[in-house]
Amino acid sequence: MEKKVSVTSPSMPPFDEFVEEIRDLWHSRWLTHNGPKHNLLMERLQSYLNVQNVCLFANGHLALEMAFEALGLTGEVITTPFTFASTTHAIVRRGLVPRFCDIDPYTFNMDPDKIEALITEKTTAIVPVHVYGTPCDVQRIGEIAERYGLKVIYDAAHAFGVSINGKGIGSFGDMTMFSFHATKVFHTVEGGALSYSNAALTPRLAQLKQFGLVGTEDAVAVGTNAKMTEINAAMGLCNLNHIDEQIEKRHIIAKRYMEHLKGLEGIRILHPNENVRHNWAYFPVIFENYRKDRKMIIEQLNVNGIFPRKYFYPLTSDFVCYNEFFDKTDTPIARYAADRVLALPMYADLSIEDVDKICSIIIE
Ligand SMILES: *Cc1c(COP(=O)(O)O)cnc(C)c1O
């Protein structure tokens, strides 16, 4: 096999465009710490994401930790085990205890029907994930949070550019985290952001990502270093110029996958709702009593130089580092999903020929 097809591949802006964008840094030497590119990207994201406030970070994970800290969470947090390591790790690293809620069998997002049973007097927040870019049931989660006085912090690492009835996905809950990691729909190489409506949180977030310093002499919080650099912001500005075109390319690929795989006995495809502007971040398929099992399909694809991923497998509650902590029988639907899901290659520059080939290997 001369060529490898991975589950994802970063989008790159035209080289000359990036060079042009970073040229003035050689004169200004303003490389980090709220530089002009950082500020411009922040403004442009506010408008693209259709949210009131955006705070940029060095990565999505630190943004999530800072969100929990800025909102003063304590005690227990209700979350999903069907996610990337970061969601659960951020909770635990902030000294909070995750309470795992099972997922909805159709969206693979946190099941709102199962949240209330997990609420105790120690619960301070709900941390759902918009898995694969599919929006959570934001309405019902919002109602529950309101009734019990809980904060809601969404992990929207997969959901850049998604909207519900024209409302930006980052405008729900108290805060929403976006990841701008290289493999995401929109990226700054490494990077991330929080969106939020309460502008009073802005100075707090600014302190936390800059060592808790105010002015040049004193620290008012035990902050960390989580600032986005000008080089990363420059990459973001370039990528943002092409984002709609990139999402449209992903949509064309998704349609091709669906043409091939729709209606196949034993293969399920997740569909976004009618009222959602989707971003086609991933193309997950679920093997439910398909002729071949997931392992055999992965092997066959690998032989042909194609590398899909069991995303998400295992559940974060199954990680070795959490071995002693959680009851593993708590989330049977999440376990069912993790055992059957496969994320097929999906990125803007994936060729239609490769999609055809992947599907014919699966079908054959
Ligand atoms: C990528 C990802 C993150 C972390 O983002 P980074 O920018 O890589 O730190 C968090 N949650 C989910 C669901 C992710 O996929």
Side-chain angles (χ1 to χ4, degrees):
M1 254 340 281
E2 68 289 0
K3 190 180 83 169
K4 276 192 186 174
V5 177
S6 294
V7 68
T8 184
S9 169
S11 299
M12 298 302 275
F15 181 68
D16 293 340
E17 206 177 305
F18 181 68
V19 170
E20 216 32 63
E21 187 60 53
I22 60 172
R23 190 177 296 282
D24 52 347
L25 295 178
W26 265 252
H27 303 288
S28 71
R29 305 198 182 200
W30 191 347
L31 300 181
T32 186
H33 204 163
N34 300 331
K37 293 184 197 300
H38 163 282
N39 293 345
L40 181 59
L41 182 63
M42 187 175 74
E43 273 169 35
R44 285 187 58 194
L45 286 174
Q46 264 159 222
S47 127
Y48 187 83
L49 295 171
N50 206 354
V51 294
Q52 287 174 31
N53 303 285
V54 165
C55 184
L56 299 175
F57 290 89
N59 57 61
H61 178 82
L62 283 170
L64 204 50
E65 288 195 14
M66 300 294 97
F68 300 159
E69 192 168 4
L71 292 169
L73 304 192
T74 57
E76 297 175 4
V77 167
I78 297 169
T79 188
T80 170
F82 192 76
T83 185
F84 181 58
S86 171
T87 323
T88 308
H89 285 357
I91 293 168
V92 176
R93 287 175 60 81
R94 286 303 315 150
L96 305 163
V97 177
R99 288 280 171 242
F100 292 110
C101 182
D102 210 354
I103 60 173
D104 176 279
Y106 300 102
T107 62
F108 290 8
N109 285 330
M110 185 183 283
D111 184 345
D113 284 336
K114 302 199 172 138
I115 295 174
E116 287 188 71
L118 296 169
I119 298 176
T120 71
E121 68 274 18
K122 291 190 193 142
T123 311
T124 54
I126 308 173
V127 178
V129 180
H130 300 298
V131 176
Y132 308 130
T134 309
C136 293
D137 190 339
V138 291
Q139 176 121 18
R140 292 206 39 217
I141 292 170
E143 283 162 12
I144 295 167
E146 174 130 30
R147 197 155 356 111
Y148 291 88
L150 306 176
K151 304 279 189 211
V152 181
I153 302 94
Y154 284 104
D155 178 336
H158 294 181
F160 188 90
V162 170
S163 58
I164 309 174
N165 291 321
K167 240 187 132 194
I169 194 74
S171 53
F172 300 95
D174 294 277
M175 280 194 174
T176 296
M177 178 276 279
F178 293 93
S179 164
F180 304 153
H181 181 259
T183 57
K184 308 284 158 113
V185 169
F186 165 79
H187 78 87
T188 59
V189 185
E190 291 266 10
L194 291 174
S195 67
Y196 51 99
S197 48
N198 180 5
L201 291 164
T202 301
R204 176 77 176 153
L205 291 171
Q207 284 162 12
L208 287 175
K209 69 176 180 181
Q210 169 61 9
F211 306 103
L213 295 170
V214 281
T216 50
E217 298 198 335
D218 205 5
V220 295
V222 187
T224 186
N225 181 1
K227 302 185 297 295
M228 180 181 283
T229 76
E230 288 293 275
I231 304 268
N232 296 101
M235 186 60 130
L237 288 170
C238 294
N239 279 332
L240 201 53
N241 290 335
H242 303 278
I243 188 69
D244 287 329
E245 184 192 311
Q246 297 281 311
I247 291 175
E248 189 43 36
K249 279 173 150 183
R250 287 172 175 272
H251 190 185
I252 290 166
I253 292 161
K255 282 195 270 197
R256 188 72 166 197
Y257 268 130
M258 286 191 267
E259 274 168 35
H260 283 299
L261 301 177
K262 216 163 65 185
L264 272 188
E265 180 90 15
I267 291 190
R268 182 150 64 96
I269 296 166
L270 300 178
H271 287 281
N273 273 338
E274 298 282 293
N275 60 348
V276 169
R277 188 230 185 198
H278 200 39
N279 65 359
W280 311 103
Y282 298 90
F283 199 85
V285 295
I286 300 102
F287 294 99
E288 289 174 315
N289 308 314
Y290 188 56
R291 293 181 276 113
K292 299 264 168 54
D293 69 8
R294 180 174 66 171
K295 188 158 168 277
M296 288 168 71
I297 291 185
I298 294 171
E299 277 166 17
Q300 263 315 301
L301 289 168
N302 288 173
V303 166
N304 286 278
I306 297 156
F307 298 89
R309 262 189 65 190
K310 293 183 276 182
Y311 199 56
F312 297 105
Y313 174 88
L315 301 179
T316 60
S317 50
D318 283 343
F319 285 164
V320 168
C321 58
Y322 296 131
N323 242 348
E324 303 295 311
F325 292 107
F326 311 123
D327 179 355
K328 298 194 187 303
T329 59
D330 276 354
T331 58
I333 297 170
R335 188 163 306 279
Y336 177 94
D339 285 342
R340 287 166 182 79
V341 73
L342 188 65
L344 300 179
M346 168 55 92
Y347 46 91
D349 294 325
L350 181 64
S351 74
I352 291 294
E353 293 73 46
D354 284 333
V355 175
D356 293 348
K357 186 171 146 200
I358 291 162
C359 293
S360 74
I361 293 168
I362 293 171
I363 294 165
E364 171 201 290

